[in-house]
Amino acid sequence: MDTQRILRVCAGVMCKYLAPAGATTAAIIGSGKQARRQLQAIVRTVPSITAARVYSPTAANREAFAREWTSKLGIPVTPVGSAEAAAKGRDIVLC
């Protein structure tokens, strides 16, 4: 099993058992491979998630991430300009 898969499994298990009941929002800090797998794991293991925010220091990266994962997951993934803006008011935050 590769490291990325292990991280995705860990994120999914963590969210499944530690996320607040009825969690509907998530935030991801970063937009690389790990962030992609973590967001996918969150949505799969916490099916009540209806929206996410992403922050990455590079605007083009966070915007591309948001477009790609909005399409793949069928929920709005919104790019934001700071980690604070991503995390504020979210039920689940991963970085």
Side-chain angles (χ1 to χ4, degrees):
M1 189 176 280
D2 66 63
T3 303
Q4 294 299 320
R5 185 173 290 170
I6 292 168
L7 291 170
R8 180 176 61 224
V9 169
C10 290
V13 170
M14 177 186 68
C15 288
K16 181 176 181 175
Y17 293 105
L18 298 177
T24 60
T25 58
I28 295 291
I29 311 300
S31 61
K33 288 180 185 178
Q34 182 175 335
R36 294 167 192 281
R37 287 174 173 84
Q38 286 180 335
L39 183 57
Q40 185 178 37
I42 292 169
V43 173
R44 284 185 178 172
T45 58
V46 184
S48 56
I49 296 296
T50 60
R53 292 181 192 151
V54 60
Y55 168 70
S56 178
T58 305
N61 291 351
R62 65 180 174 253
E63 290 164 8
F65 181 98
R67 278 191 307 274
E68 175 184 357
W69 288 94
T70 292
S71 174
K72 285 185 176 185
L73 299 174
I75 63 168
V77 178
T78 305
V80 295
S82 71
E84 181 181 2
K88 188 172 185 173
R90 301 285 97 175
D91 297 316
I92 299 170
V93 178
L94 288 177
C95 55

